[in-house]
Amino acid sequence: MTAVPTTPGPRRGYLDWLRGLAVLVMIEAHVLDSWTRLEERSTPQWGASMILGGFGAPLFLFLAGVAVALSAGSKYRRSGDRVAASRAVVKRGFQIFLLAFLFRLQAMVVSWGSWMSLLKVDILNIMGPAIMAAAWVWAVARTPRVRLVAFAGTALAIAFLTPPVRSVSWLGVLPDPIEGYLRPRSGFTAFAMFPWAAFVFAGAAIGVLIDETRAAASEARLNAWLASGGLVLAIASYAASFLPSPYAQSSFWTTSPAFFLLRTGILIAAIGGAYAWQQRRWRTFAFSPLEQMGRTSLFIYWIHIELIYGLMVRPLHKSMTIGEAWLGVLIVGLLMLLLSLLKDRIVLAWRAAHLVPRPS
């Protein structure tokens, strides 16, 4: 039996495990969206599958925010330079933003897409700038308490501003590709800053709390509070969704702050649940497929889209029953795991050949 760690390590495996779960949810959402027959999409099974699939993107963004606080805090403790620590995380966010366009360029070339697809706003287009902004807030707010308030306040501000941003007319003067970063525009937007960037700031607030734990006991207590507090937030938000809306125009499933807080509560509770799962006493294997996929989530995101939506699988598009599509989810998930392991082996072999030390 694998011994349970008694002190927090340099990398928290339960966050990787949860990120791996987000990978599986992402694969589920994309496979079912691409391969399920149109006539199957009015069934209760389809609706339940889409609700589950809808948690993939918020979880990715939320965990990206958690990583902002953990990474900046770790770099600051090593260097003692707060600005340099923040700058390093800002750089990472900028790299993700650039990767969004490189990813679109690859998709355009491989699948013969329109050049206008380069301007589409997808999750990486939101994640990159949101990470940069969160890293800046981390540097400006100099204490953990102030950072916690700043991150939580920013997340709430974005969530509560989403309905008016979606409805104001003056934003219509902006070019569609730019307006698409603020609110949905047909043909340009899969995600928008309002409300999706709020998940990054909400995650950063939780990251501040996790980063302040210095012993296994304190991390265990924190995660117990996250599990219970997240559930309370989710239940309270669901109850609040039945109250009259203060907005003239708002939809529960897209712009409602109650829906944002409901999902955020579930995500917070999921961190506590992932911690409890990793600490289970009957854990018998050191290797975890979900942790492996979580550590290589960006790589899997990069390669799985063409394998699900691309030209090479066009005969599968909208051709399956829901049951067949779920079998496809299993097959694609296993394939992504194998490719993730292969990728790590290639990287390790390259580092060994070039005497490059593995980062801690």
Side-chain angles (χ1 to χ4, degrees):
M1 179 179 291
T2 303
V4 177
T6 57
T7 57
R11 188 175 184 108
R12 289 170 166 88
Y14 64 95
L15 297 179
D16 286 327
W17 186 93
L18 193 56
R19 192 175 290 108
L21 183 62
V23 168
L24 285 185
V25 174
M26 170 187 68
I27 292 172
E28 178 261 332
H30 290 163
V31 168
L32 266 65
D33 175 65
S34 178
W35 296 357
T36 305
R37 296 173 185 166
L38 295 178
E39 58 268 26
E40 297 268 322
R41 303 189 182 204
S42 58
T43 62
Q45 295 86 347
W46 170 262
S49 298
M50 289 301 98
I51 290 175
L52 173 62
F55 277 93
L59 187 49
F60 271 124
L61 293 166
F62 185 81
L63 290 173
V66 172
V68 166
L70 294 178
S71 179
S74 175
K75 289 176 172 57
Y76 175 60
R77 285 189 292 275
R78 289 199 302 265
S79 67
D81 189 332
R82 188 185 72 260
V83 174
S86 171
R87 189 182 297 122
V89 182
V90 168
K91 180 180 178 181
R92 177 58 175 166
F94 185 65
Q95 289 171 344
I96 291 175
F97 185 59
L98 292 181
L99 284 174
F101 294 97
L102 184 59
F103 174 75
R104 287 290 163 197
L105 177 62
Q106 171 193 280
M108 182 185 72
V109 172
V110 174
S111 294
W112 305 347
S114 165
W115 69 269
M116 289 295 289
S117 65
L118 291 174
L119 303 178
K120 184 178 179 180
V121 183
D122 215 326
I123 187 170
L124 297 183
N125 299 80
I126 300 302
M127 183 184 293
I131 287 174
M132 295 167 67
W136 178 81
V137 170
W138 185 93
V140 172
R142 299 193 175 197
T143 68
R145 181 173 297 181
V146 175
R147 287 169 186 149
L148 177 63
V149 172
F151 285 137
T154 303
L156 289 173
I158 294 172
F160 280 90
L161 284 173
T162 295
V165 167
R166 294 285 183 98
S167 60
V168 294
S169 58
W170 57 266
L171 287 178
V173 303
L174 297 172
D176 283 351
I178 296 177
E179 186 181 356
Y181 277 88
L182 300 176
R183 62 185 183 185
R185 296 301 302 161
S186 178
F188 289 100
T189 311
F191 296 87
M193 288 290 181
F194 294 86
W196 293 99
F199 288 109
V200 174
F201 286 93
I206 300 303
V208 169
L209 296 175
I210 296 174
D211 189 53
E212 285 301 299
T213 59
R214 295 290 181 266
S218 61
E219 189 161 7
R221 285 193 299 270
L222 171 64
N223 277 283
W225 278 106
L226 293 179
S228 57
L231 288 177
V232 170
L233 176 60
I235 294 170
S237 301
Y238 179 71
S241 70
F242 292 97
L243 299 175
S245 174
Y247 302 100
Q249 299 180 33
S250 181
S251 169
F252 175 74
W253 294 104
T254 55
T255 62
S256 168
F259 187 44
F260 166 77
L261 291 171
L262 169 62
R263 288 188 289 181
T264 299
I266 293 173
L267 299 179
I268 293 172
I271 289 184
Y275 178 85
W277 175 253
Q278 190 198 46
Q279 298 298 315
R280 67 193 186 280
R281 296 186 179 277
W282 63 90
R283 183 174 181 175
T284 56
F285 299 101
F287 174 73
S288 168
L290 286 183
E291 285 187 37
Q292 172 65 31
M293 296 175 79
R295 288 191 293 268
T296 56
S297 58
L298 184 58
F299 167 75
I300 293 175
Y301 176 83
W302 193 275
I303 64 174
H304 91 286
I305 292 292
E306 286 301 317
L307 294 177
I308 295 174
Y309 289 101
L311 288 177
M312 66 183 73
V313 293
R314 177 161 289 181
L316 301 179
H317 293 180
K318 297 178 174 60
S319 67
M320 298 182 179
T321 66
I322 291 181
E324 291 168 342
W326 268 103
L327 178 60
V329 172
L330 176 62
I331 294 172
V332 173
L334 290 173
L335 176 60
M336 292 301 102
L337 175 60
L338 292 174
L339 291 176
S340 170
L341 291 168
L342 177 61
K343 174 255 186 187
D344 277 0
R345 293 194 65 174
I346 292 173
V347 170
L348 286 174
W350 186 89
R351 283 179 176 153
H354 294 79
L355 300 178
V356 178
R358 185 173 184 176
S360 59

